[in-house]
Amino acid sequence: GSISASELTLGVTVGSLAQTAGTLIVQSDLNLTAGGDITLASMTSTGGNIGLVAGGRILDATSGSESALLTTSTANRSVSLQAVAGIGLDDQSDDIEISTDMLLSARTTTGSVYVSSARALIVGQVSAVDAASVRVSAGSLTLTDSFAASTVRIEVASGALTMQADGLILGGTSIDLDSSQDMSITRILASGPG
């Protein structure tokens, strides 16, 4: 089933927050905070932004499905993701699928970031200790800020990859950029082993 609200700010100080099925629809901003994990099935903001902050991980409850877990329906809206221990589990079936104009930020302090989109995406700051992967299956990807991790992967299956003036890719052991169309790159810094 579905649950609808005009605006939602929900915090769980101790423990996790899990949506295992159904759809949550909010007319304005949707902000969730949890001391532990946040598990997602389907959340939509029809007129605002979405922000998630987890003391643990941000996880996909619909493993194997490629439907969007987080959707902003209005133009020029964004999704922000912050989690201590990781965002998604891999860059295929258990990543965090989003449908929005802008991924404002995706940051984790001890884990990896795995995010995908089936539409054109503007990407702000991405930061991970281990791996950071952003995949766009349809449309272009524009990087406006820093994208930093030990292992960096950016894949644009059907569009161009563009870095704006403030865009920076910072990788440790591996940097993998894949675009079906043009790439416009401003700065890449690689700090391999040794």
Side-chain angles (χ1 to χ4, degrees):
S2 299
I3 298 175
S4 298
S6 59
E7 184 173 350
L8 179 63
T9 298
L10 177 63
V12 177
T13 305
V14 178
S16 298
L17 180 61
Q19 178 201 26
T20 57
T23 302
L24 174 62
I25 301 171
V26 177
Q27 295 172 6
S28 188
D29 289 343
L30 169 58
N31 294 293
L32 302 179
T33 304
D37 295 343
I38 296 177
T39 304
L40 308 168
S42 176
M43 298 183 183
T44 297
S45 169
T46 60
N49 304 306
I50 296 176
L52 305 183
V53 178
R57 301 167 296 172
I58 297 175
L59 300 171
D60 181 354
T62 65
S63 181
S65 170
E66 288 300 313
S67 298
L69 303 173
L70 300 171
T71 301
T72 59
S73 302
T74 303
N76 302 315
R77 296 298 187 260
S78 66
V79 169
S80 300
L81 305 172
Q82 180 177 336
V84 170
I87 299 169
L89 294 180
D90 63 44
D91 63 356
Q92 297 296 326
S93 61
D94 291 318
D95 58 0
I96 303 301
E97 300 96 353
I98 62 174
S99 178
T100 185
D101 281 356
M102 182 174 189
L103 176 62
L104 187 64
S105 63
R107 296 178 293 165
T108 181
T109 53
T110 65
S112 298
V113 171
Y114 299 104
V115 176
S116 66
S117 173
R119 57 188 262 201
L121 185 64
I122 298 170
V123 178
Q125 186 183 54
V126 176
S127 176
V129 173
D130 297 324
S133 171
V134 174
R135 296 183 302 118
V136 174
S137 59
S140 297
L141 185 150
T142 303
L143 184 62
T144 65
D145 207 321
S146 60
F147 195 113
S150 178
T151 301
V152 169
R153 177 160 175 74
I154 300 174
E155 178 183 349
V156 188
S158 181
L161 170 58
T162 302
M163 294 175 65
Q164 293 187 347
D166 291 334
L168 166 66
I169 295 174
L170 178 60
T173 59
S174 173
I175 297 175
D176 184 5
L177 307 180
D178 186 2
S179 173
S180 66
Q181 297 181 17
D182 294 341
M183 287 190 196
S184 177
I185 305 298
T186 53
R187 290 185 297 164
I188 296 178
L189 297 177
S191 56

